[in-house]
Amino acid sequence: MTIAPISETVLGPVDEIPFGEGRTYAVGPDMIAVFRLRDGSLRAVSAVCPHKGGPLADGQIDNRVVVCPLHLYAWDLATGCSQSGQPPISVYPVRVDDGHIILGD
Amino acid sequence: MTQRLVVIGNGMAGARTVEEILARNGDFTITMFGDEPYGNYNRIMLSNLLAGVEDEAGIYLNDLSWYADNGITLNAGVRIERIDRFAKVVYATDGTATPYDKLIIATGSSSWTPPIKNIHNPKRGFHQGVFAFRTLDDTRGMIRYARDHERAVVIGGGLLGLEAARGLQNHLSDVTLLHAMGHLMERQLDEKAGHMLQASVENKLGIKVITNAMTTEILGKDRVTGVKLADGTVIPCDVVVIAAGIRPNTQVAADSGLTVERGIVVDDQMRVQDEDDIYSVGECAQHRGNLYGLVAPLWDQAKVLADHITGRDVEAAYTGSKLSTKLKVAGIDVASMGLIAPESDDDEVIIYSEPKKGVYKQLIIRDGALAGAILVGDNSKAAGLIQSFDRAQALPEERAEMLFDIGGPTGEVKPEDMPDDAQVCNCNGVSKGAICGVVNAGCKTVSGVMDSTRAGKGCGTCKPLVQRIVEWAAGGEAEEDPAASWYVPGVPMPKPELMAAIRKYELKSVSSVFEKLVPGGEHDAKSKMGLASLLKMMWADRYVDERDARFINDRVHGNIQKDGTFSVVPQMKGGVTTPAELKRIAEVAEKYNVPMVKLTGGQRIDLLGIPKEQLPAMWADLDMPSGYAYAKSFRTVKTCVGSDFCRFGVGDSTALGIAIEERYQGLEGPGKMKLAVTGCPRNCAEAYVKDLGVVAIDGGKWEIYVGGAAGAHIRKGDLLCTLDSAEEVIRMTGRFLQYYRENANWLERTYSFVPRIGIERIREIVVEDTDGIADALDAAVDEAVQSYKDPWKERAVPATPGQFRTSLPLTVLPQVPVRS
Ligand SMILES: Cc1cc2nc3c(=O)[nH]c(=O)nc-3n(C[C@H](O)[C@H](O)[C@H](O)COP(=O)(O)OP(=O)(O)OC[C@H]3O[C@@H](n4cnc5c(N)ncnc54)[C@H](O)[C@@H]3O)c2cc1C
Ligand code: HEM
Ligand code: SF4
Ligand code: SF4
Ligand code: FES
């Protein structure tokens, strides 16, 4: 598991992300995919699929994993670990505060 | 209250039964006794151990830590001598007495020794150099002894004897197989097949085979120097291996007053006759008069026993098993199931024989189902036949398809012949070695292996090979995967049950299905798309559309490309366009600098490489409806020019194709639906290889073919019916498509669906209406047609915030200020 350190950043209103979907944000040099689970909580991971560069924010999710839309490999949203032997993705701390997406801590 | 469970026998059946009990959270304190001083190992693999393709560490199923982890007291190397069924105590040879509330007898079998002079040595069991082949200790002893000697004789030409003979060749140079019957494996093969097998064993493996060989005496004073046959022949040798059959271990049960005939007699709950608290399972159990000597029946017995003893399902009943076997000798393919000879004149017998190649195939069909099969020299069809046999599936009309791959790629490769780095899945680049690695790590289901390697998840053509590799790597130990019958992996139900439950609870959204029908309410990303498709089909306009249930293609109505851009394929019904439309497409392509403009195989124009955020504007400029080139849905109707222009045309294929596409455009289904209408049997529009193809024939009639394919899998469609008018064709098309939508599994294309159901059955339902559901199918497809909306209209008001926002830095994203 790789938890990337990142300083606190407000990404925008949480309503920008529909339940169960993801959106990509550029934070400094990093591209970060933020997902809003159906239970309302958020997960943030690196946006680029380590397999062949697929856009993870376009993937389907459940409360545990994101499935890349290109070749359907899956990664754990909490740990960043691949379930199928791929390199891990970075995970970032993220939370909702007063209707805003707060990345980092 | 926690009960005391004692298990006698720590072999494959005993340990598996305990696993099944643990899986049902049975409330027991478990004590196991095993005569062998080990944990539970895979007895089947002893053949591979002998052959040197497996090592000892690799054959354990439950090592000692498993027992400890599960709180089981294992007495390894301790034999039970007597059961006191009144006091409910078992007595062991080490003098201990262990009380029980419930008892399971799983003592298995021992190898049977034929009456042969001088085979025993009063002091040490067998004569020096004579071995049975049943246990790990037998195998170790055999390997140690064979290494220092030259010549071996194996007595017994069944599965076990052949595997022993092949394995011994790994340790010494000269192996002779003696078989008392007229041909090898006489219980699984008929005479012809047996002789064919003998020729292969002799020529390919170099094992000498003597049939009708009655061994009467072991020669040699203190160690074996040869064997003597009834006809006086003497075969000099240093090692003798006995593989002449097995006898169930029933002595302890019989001595303790339980009902024992050939085996320990059990009822359908695996309870010993007249005993409430004693069960028996495995090779020692006699069920409905049958004893089994293979593992597959044990697995079924173990489940029933566990269901019953834990109270999970006290009605669970074991009703017997259908047996199929495969020989585990590299390079020699033999498979057999069910009958080996017809039993009545009505049994249909199909035989293919090619002695020069050593190939022999026989099928016996009774009442339209497979009652038996023998394969020698070519197991490429074994997996499919075993499946049809087990499940009594409908058989293809073209019986030859059961014996050969017709129209498919020829020359099926055998897993054992493939190098480790051979690529199996050409779509996802998965090698044989990668698959074997996952199997060895403990994943023994085909779907599990596919999930973790992604093999077989591209075009799907390699799935049969993946299955064969998994079976081979698991050494006949591949597990049937309950999830294989589920419609989607995350909801434990096959499609009919799932649909019934959805209707019963009126579940109209994907999340409600997870919450109501999955124990624990766990959502599953990989199941969402299949459920969305099913719910849309079932509820049409009343479906509650949660956008996250859709795959990205269906969220933004384009096909995602390798770089995260999308393709735009406007509808072009029947492949017919106009100069005005072409101009508009050309202008759009220029305006947006479209990187590639290409004609598709579906007779339309594809604009490729479009960034997501440009999609809505482009659709507006095009002002054409979506061609649905991205969804699991009705795609296109290809047409030829037909009678309006073609010299040969006998029907207006273009007009009919356009009418069909007009009516069924965008219809979602479990898989893609690609259609064609062609104006005469010259078939310029390739209608014979479509999910549904219509062919005009002379006399104003139309033929409908279904289940065709010309993708990775090639299949000519089956003729469904011949109709008199275009209107009838349109109606029948809808009825068939609706039947497919309601009954096919997720991602099951018509080329698998049609043969699975059988074209006759489909014809009965959709053409002859024997089930009386034709009107309902018509009404359901009509409702779906009415709910069609062109998805590209979403351009005006996005369905969700940021629906078309870029997900990758194809263009520079708006930078968010960083707070320090
Ligand atoms: C070399 C070989 C290859 C095989 N290949 C295949 C194959 O390819 N496919 C297939 O389906 N089957 C195969 N089989 C058969 C398969 O291994 C058996 O069907 C299976 O092991 C039976 O399981 P079981 O638990 O009933 O008996 P076992 O596995 O024999 O277990 C019984 C255990 O009980 C112990 N025991 C007996 N009496 C007592 C007692 N009184 N007290 C304590 N412990 C006792 C025994 O020592 C033994 O460990 C093969 C068998 C062999 C030997
Ligand atoms: C995810 C994998 C696939 C993608 C992205 C894909 C993409 C496409 C696209 C964009 C088209 C043009 C569609 C149109 O004009 O409607 C097409 C056509 C076609 N595809 Fe695929 N395809 C895939 C898998 C398959 C598979 C598995 C098969 C075969 C089993 C297949 C067989 C065909 C055929 C035969 C055509 C020609 C269509 C026609 O004539 O109607 N494709 N594919
Ligand atoms: S378009 Fe079809 S055949 Fe061509 S590379 Fe893609 S999936 Fe393969
Ligand atoms: S299929 Fe027949 S009608 Fe159609 S273009 Fe070919 S020859 Fe002409
Ligand atoms: S690019 Fe993500 S799985 Fe291939």
Side-chain angles (χ1 to χ4, degrees):
Chain A
M1 153 153 179
T2 24
I3 295 188
I6 197 153
S7 55
E8 192 168 283
T9 311
V10 181
L11 296 185
V14 71
D15 292 340
E16 275 183 6
I17 313 178
F19 285 111
E21 294 194 35
R23 295 288 181 259
T24 307
Y25 294 85
V27 183
D30 298 317
M31 303 297 307
I32 295 176
V34 181
F35 296 92
R36 189 178 184 195
L37 310 194
R38 281 211 151 258
D39 66 13
S41 64
L42 299 179
R43 301 284 183 278
V45 300
S46 41
V48 184
C49 175
H51 175 231
K52 289 194 175 167
L56 289 178
D58 281 345
Q60 287 192 286
I61 60 165
D62 52 32
N63 289 335
R64 279 184 317 115
V65 299
V66 54
V67 182
C68 175
L70 293 195
H71 309 98
L72 311 184
Y73 287 106
W75 282 266
D76 192 302
L77 282 169
T79 64
C81 293
S82 155
Q83 302 191 319
S84 30
Q86 292 292 315
I89 53 178
S90 307
V91 295
Y92 301 88
V94 66
R95 66 195 146 88
V96 193
D97 192 353
D98 197 19
H100 284 270
I101 308 164
I102 317 287
L103 186 76
D105 48 20
Chain B
M1 194 197 75
T2 304
Q3 295 199 311
R4 292 164 301 186
L5 173 66
V6 168
V7 183
I8 310 179
N10 179 36
M12 300 188 73
R16 179 63 159 247
T17 305
V18 169
E19 280 184 355
E20 295 284 357
I21 291 172
L22 294 174
R24 286 163 181 72
N25 296 321
D27 186 16
F28 294 104
T29 333
I30 304 176
T31 306
M32 300 186 74
F33 290 90
D35 203 3
E36 297 181 70
Y38 310 106
N40 173 38
Y41 59 86
N42 189 343
R43 198 171 302 286
I44 295 180
M45 285 297 178
L46 293 179
S47 301
N48 289 7
L49 185 63
L50 183 63
V53 293
E54 187 71 65
D55 56 21
E56 279 191 18
I59 71 170
Y60 276 94
L61 295 171
N62 306 87
D63 56 20
L64 296 176
S65 64
W66 177 83
Y67 296 87
D69 292 347
N70 289 290
I72 298 166
T73 312
L74 172 66
N75 299 291
V78 179
R79 200 182 147 69
I80 293 297
E81 262 179 336
R82 195 167 63 82
I83 305 163
D84 183 335
R85 47 200 251 273
F86 304 106
K88 292 187 149 188
V89 177
V90 296
Y91 295 96
T93 35
D94 64 359
T96 55
T98 309
Y100 65 84
D101 297 305
K102 300 276 177 194
L103 179 67
I104 297 176
I105 306 176
T107 46
S109 310
S110 308
S111 87
W112 175 70
T113 316
I116 295 173
K117 201 173 146 195
N118 202 23
I119 198 164
H120 290 289
N121 174 315
K123 279 189 235 113
R124 42 187 313 281
F126 283 130
H127 201 89
Q128 181 168 343
V130 178
F131 297 90
F133 188 23
R134 175 74 194 178
T135 64
L136 181 55
D137 285 342
D138 292 340
T139 314
R140 284 180 176 167
M142 204 188 308
I143 293 174
R144 226 179 294 128
Y145 197 81
R147 268 203 300 246
D148 304 328
H149 292 87
E150 294 295 313
R151 299 157 305 174
V153 159
V154 175
I155 300 176
L159 279 168
L160 198 58
L162 282 160
E163 293 181 8
R166 178 56 179 166
L168 283 166
Q169 283 191 305
N170 186 38
H171 307 284
L172 38 71
S173 54
D174 186 330
V175 179
T176 306
L177 183 66
L178 305 180
H179 191 44
M181 302 294 168
H183 65 270
L184 294 178
M185 288 180 65
E186 80 284 349
R187 295 211 299 179
Q188 290 89 7
L189 302 181
D190 64 0
E191 202 178 325
K192 269 218 188 98
H195 289 313
M196 206 88 91
L197 170 62
Q198 181 173 346
S200 301
V201 167
E202 290 180 327
N203 303 332
K204 277 200 201 163
L205 304 182
I207 294 171
K208 279 177 254 128
V209 178
I210 305 178
T211 51
N212 294 314
M214 285 297 293
T215 312
T216 50
E217 190 177 346
I218 304 285
L219 305 175
K221 199 156 181 303
D222 13 85
R223 47 185 192 81
V224 173
T225 57
V227 300
K228 190 167 172 188
L229 305 186
D231 65 3
T233 317
V234 169
I235 302 161
C237 66
D238 326 299
V239 183
V240 173
V241 173
I242 302 160
I246 54 172
R247 289 294 176 272
N249 293 325
T250 56
Q251 200 59 47
V252 171
D255 290 349
S256 309
L258 300 178
T259 310
V260 173
E261 289 171 7
R262 285 185 304 141
I264 304 170
V265 180
V266 297
D267 63 13
D268 286 357
Q269 281 70 45
M270 305 310 297
R271 253 174 325 182
V272 175
Q273 186 170 311
D274 303 327
E275 299 293 330
D276 285 334
D277 299 316
I278 307 182
Y279 296 78
S280 179
V281 62
E283 285 187 346
C284 56
Q286 174 182 330
H287 173 261
R288 296 194 185 178
N290 290 317
L291 292 162
Y292 294 100
L294 292 170
V295 295
L298 317 186
W299 302 160
D300 296 339
Q301 295 177 350
K303 283 186 195 145
V304 170
L305 199 168
D307 276 339
H308 192 263
I309 204 169
T310 57
R312 168 71 65 98
D313 177 5
V314 287
E315 304 287 306
Y318 174 69
T319 53
S321 298
K322 289 171 133 187
L323 291 184
S324 53
T325 46
K326 279 194 204 169
L327 181 66
K328 304 192 298 292
V329 169
I332 304 283
D333 277 353
V334 176
S336 163
M337 61 209 80
L339 298 181
I340 60 171
E343 288 177 341
S344 79
D345 289 347
D346 294 337
D347 287 348
E348 188 182 331
V349 185
I350 294 155
I351 296 178
Y352 175 83
S353 166
E354 195 181 348
K356 234 183 170 159
K357 276 202 192 149
V359 175
Y360 180 81
K361 305 183 182 194
Q362 172 184 285
L363 304 181
I364 297 175
I365 296 170
R366 180 179 294 173
D367 301 330
L370 191 62
I374 292 174
L375 299 175
V376 175
D378 175 11
N379 265 0
S380 59
K381 287 298 206 179
L385 287 173
I386 290 176
Q387 194 179 340
S388 334
F389 171 71
D390 262 359
R391 307 187 187 164
Q393 283 168 337
L395 303 177
E397 222 172 334
E398 208 52 74
R399 302 297 199 216
E401 282 175 21
M402 298 164 68
L403 293 178
F404 310 99
D405 280 314
I406 293 175
T410 50
E412 202 149 14
V413 268
K414 294 200 199 75
E416 56 267 42
D417 294 345
M418 297 170 64
D420 254 9
D421 58 358
Q423 182 151 306
V424 174
C425 176
N426 290 329
C427 292
N428 293 329
V430 184
S431 67
K432 172 192 163 190
I435 293 175
C436 294
V438 174
V439 174
N440 293 336
C443 176
K444 293 200 164 56
T445 65
V446 177
S447 59
V449 170
M450 285 171 55
D451 268 348
S452 60
T453 60
R454 306 224 35 79
K457 294 246 170 169
C459 73
T461 34
C462 66
K463 251 194 249 170
L465 181 57
V466 174
Q467 173 164 9
R468 289 204 305 279
I469 295 175
V470 172
E471 280 170 1
W472 170 78
E477 260 282 75
E479 286 161 16
E480 182 137 348
D481 178 8
S485 64
W486 302 346
Y487 173 73
V488 285
V491 187
M493 292 180 188
K495 183 163 175 175
E497 282 172 34
L498 177 60
M499 286 176 67
I502 288 172
R503 248 183 237 115
K504 175 166 165 207
Y505 299 113
E506 302 209 353
L507 306 174
K508 299 200 177 72
S509 70
V510 170
S511 58
S512 67
V513 172
F514 288 128
E515 267 136 41
K516 186 85 196 168
L517 302 182
V518 180
E522 182 93 22
H523 290 225
D524 176 43
K526 293 186 179 179
S527 301
K528 286 179 164 185
M529 191 184 179
L531 290 174
S533 159
L534 183 69
L535 293 173
K536 179 80 200 292
M537 187 269 289
M538 292 177 66
W539 301 112
D541 264 347
R542 288 167 290 159
Y543 165 59
V544 178
D545 179 11
E546 294 166 340
R547 299 293 289 209
D548 64 304
R550 299 180 177 210
F551 183 58
I552 185 66
N553 284 8
D554 301 311
R555 291 186 198 163
V556 302
H557 320 297
N559 196 349
I560 192 165
Q561 308 291 313
K562 61 182 285 187
D563 59 353
T565 63
F566 291 83
S567 70
V568 170
V569 183
Q571 187 181 58
M572 214 168 257
K573 295 189 192 100
V576 176
T577 181
T578 61
E581 238 173 33
L582 288 174
K583 271 190 208 153
R584 228 164 23 205
I585 293 172
E587 275 159 16
V588 166
E590 275 189 348
K591 174 171 169 190
Y592 292 88
N593 273 323
V594 172
M596 171 137 97
V597 182
K598 184 176 182 319
L599 300 186
T600 73
Q603 297 188 339
R604 42 221 193 143
I605 294 175
D606 196 346
L607 306 172
L608 291 128
I610 316 300
K612 203 202 272 173
E613 58 277 21
Q614 282 183 7
L615 291 171
M618 219 164 130
W619 296 336
D621 287 345
L622 280 169
D623 198 22
M624 291 167 75
S626 164
Y628 274 93
Y630 44 79
K632 299 298 170 206
S633 69
F634 184 98
R635 291 290 185 81
T636 61
V637 183
K638 280 174 82 160
T639 66
C640 74
V641 288
S643 55
D644 266 9
F645 290 91
C646 176
R647 286 175 295 141
F648 304 106
V650 292
D652 189 349
S653 46
T654 339
L656 178 54
I658 292 173
I660 292 176
E661 189 161 347
E662 174 75 41
R663 181 161 165 80
Y664 299 114
Q665 56 191 344
L667 197 64
E668 291 89 354
K672 298 183 260 194
M673 292 165 267
K674 295 177 175 176
L675 286 73
V677 183
T678 201
C680 81
R682 284 171 189 74
N683 190 30
C684 294
E686 298 163 359
Y688 293 128
V689 289
K690 291 291 165 191
D691 292 295
L692 186 147
V694 184
V695 180
I697 58 172
D698 203 25
K701 291 180 190 296
W702 302 92
E703 289 177 335
I704 298 187
Y705 289 83
V706 294
H713 183 95
I714 299 184
R715 181 176 193 272
K716 185 181 174 187
D718 298 319
L719 179 62
L720 177 68
C721 57
T722 305
L723 300 172
D724 291 323
S725 70
E727 289 67 44
E728 285 174 90
V729 171
I730 295 172
R731 203 184 56 223
M732 189 59 70
T733 298
R735 200 183 286 168
F736 170 78
L737 293 181
Q738 183 63 21
Y739 182 68
Y740 165 69
R741 298 171 78 213
E742 290 182 10
N743 294 285
N745 295 320
W746 175 235
L747 302 184
E748 179 181 38
R749 291 288 299 269
T750 61
Y751 65 74
S752 333
F753 173 73
V754 170
R756 172 164 71 84
I757 306 289
I759 185 67
E760 295 87 357
R761 179 75 189 122
I762 293 180
R763 193 178 297 124
E764 277 175 17
I765 293 167
V766 302
V767 183
E768 293 152 15
D769 194 17
T770 47
D771 291 25
I773 59 166
D775 287 343
L777 290 171
D778 290 351
V781 79
D782 195 58
E783 190 187 354
V785 164
Q786 299 310 327
S787 75
Y788 165 80
K789 286 187 213 70
D790 173 20
W792 286 3
K793 291 271 158 63
E794 269 174 19
R795 61 191 176 237
V797 188
T800 56
Q803 181 184 7
F804 298 104
R805 209 169 97 183
T806 184
S807 282
L808 268 193
L810 301 162
T811 55
V812 177
L813 288 173
Q815 298 283 309
V816 180
V818 179
R819 213 202 291 166
S820 55

